[in-house]
Amino acid sequence: MSQEDKIKQAAEIIKNSTYIVAFTGAGISVESGIPDFRSPGGLWEKYNPNEYATYSTFLTHPVKYWTMHMELREMVIDAQPNSAHNALASLEHKYGKLKSVITQNVDFLHSRAGNTKVLEIHGTTQTSRCLGCDKTFYFTEVEEMLDQGQLPPRCPRCRGLIKPNTILFGEQLPYDVLEQSREEIMAADLLIVIGSSLTVYPAAALPSIAVQIGSGLIIVNKEFTPMDTYANVAIQGMAGIIMPKILAVLDEIL
Ligand code: APR
């Protein structure tokens, strides 16, 4: 089947769906200037996740994590939602079909695009907390400490280590968010997966719930994923190009 036919098929499935949930990964933000993790040139090629992104190495070498954070923050701060994020916002507001976005991303771009129910299963960079007294810090507070040369940033109250509320390898995913994500997928008649290699568990297990309950499954990804064979339609391509094309066909057939 040609890509054009797949796009038409995806639009047809969306037209006939009433409760759509999106599941996204780093790939949806690549066209916003934020590299993904596992593509050639991705973040894990430059920063070995075993050294920079596990909970245990954060506790023993927090400077490594915060150094990576400072090198990446310009990219994230300047990033804008791209047309794939905006397409999901339209599916919620213009078409009234998208009910939630489950994202592995911590770049806040879905919220900035306008989606109102965003389930961040790998946490967020918007807040951090002190590992000593659990005090919460906002993004700007921590960035100020870093700009003043505090590396690693420490709690002014108890001098404990400050850690972003992103989920590092070896950390539990937020149970409540994971449960809400499962409930959303159980309620959905269509799951649209965008920009994820679907290789990191337990997040990657979520799309299989849609398959198990017989919901529709659309996958938009630059490369093949392990779930493609279970999808009603799997489209290989750039999300920022494919998603607007699907919505353009949807406009014609609605
Ligand atoms: N459009 C669509 N897909 C894209 C694009 C794009 N413009 N650019 C890259 N991709 C695809 C890649 O081909 C890849 O399959 O997006 C996928 C991104 O996969 P990963 O880099 O593995 O990112 P992700 O699936 O989000 O990783 C899950 O792993 O390291 C942890 O916590 C991290 O949340 C992350 C989790």
Side-chain angles (χ1 to χ4, degrees):
M1 189 188 289
S2 72
Q3 189 180 77
E4 195 181 336
D5 289 340
K6 287 183 178 181
I7 286 171
K8 285 180 183 160
Q9 188 184 359
E12 198 62 43
I13 295 170
I14 291 171
K15 176 191 164 205
N16 298 321
S17 300
T18 55
Y19 198 110
I20 300 176
V21 171
F23 177 93
T24 66
I28 197 171
S29 298
V30 167
E31 289 157 275
S32 296
I34 303 176
D36 67 10
F37 295 97
R38 294 171 182 81
S39 290
L43 292 175
W44 292 158
E45 226 174 64
K46 183 174 180 187
Y47 302 103
N48 177 344
N50 296 321
E51 284 178 51
Y52 285 86
T54 64
Y55 188 64
S56 56
T57 51
F58 182 88
L59 296 179
T60 51
H61 300 83
V63 171
K64 271 191 174 254
Y65 174 89
W66 283 110
T67 305
M68 174 182 73
H69 171 92
M70 289 178 76
E71 289 172 4
L72 297 178
R73 69 177 172 176
E74 299 312 318
M75 267 189 281
V76 179
I77 288 174
D78 297 341
Q80 297 299 321
N82 65 54
S83 41
H85 296 103
N86 296 333
L88 292 181
S90 296
L91 272 179
E92 173 180 342
H93 297 294
K94 180 179 173 187
Y95 301 94
K97 288 178 173 280
L98 186 81
K99 306 303 180 185
S100 58
V101 179
I102 302 165
T103 188
Q104 301 170 91
N105 301 340
V106 296
D107 54 32
F108 211 58
L109 289 178
H110 287 301
S111 301
R112 287 181 52 202
N115 283 116
T116 55
K117 186 167 185 176
V118 181
L119 299 170
E120 296 173 304
I121 51 173
H122 285 173
T124 177
T125 49
Q126 298 301 304
T127 55
S128 299
R129 67 183 173 85
C130 170
L131 298 182
C133 66
D134 217 26
K135 177 176 169 38
T136 292
F137 294 90
Y138 290 97
F139 181 79
T140 46
E141 292 177 275
V142 176
E143 294 312 308
E144 255 172 53
M145 292 182 201
L146 291 167
D147 290 342
Q148 288 159 8
Q150 267 199 62
L151 196 61
R154 287 191 174 276
C155 174
R157 191 163 67 181
C158 77
R159 304 307 301 154
L161 259 183
I162 293 176
K163 178 188 166 297
N165 287 328
T166 54
I167 304 301
L168 300 180
F169 289 106
E171 263 192 297
Q172 287 294 325
L173 271 61
Y175 178 77
D176 55 337
V177 179
L178 207 48
E179 270 314 293
Q180 280 182 66
S181 301
R182 287 193 184 103
E183 286 162 13
E184 282 299 303
I185 295 177
M186 295 291 284
D189 52 6
L190 175 61
L191 182 70
I192 304 177
V193 174
I194 306 173
S196 180
S197 61
L198 296 178
T199 52
V200 176
Y201 287 80
L206 289 171
S208 54
I209 298 173
V211 176
Q212 286 157 23
I213 63 174
S215 303
L217 177 62
I218 293 173
I219 299 177
V220 176
N221 204 61
K222 199 174 64 171
E223 294 156 349
F224 295 103
T225 79
M227 290 293 291
D228 284 6
T229 47
Y230 301 97
N232 298 79
V233 56
I235 307 172
Q236 286 72 43
M238 309 291 271
I241 295 171
I242 301 293
M243 288 308 294
K245 283 185 175 179
I246 292 174
L247 264 57
V249 173
L250 184 64
D251 275 338
E252 291 166 10
I253 61 177
L254 268 179

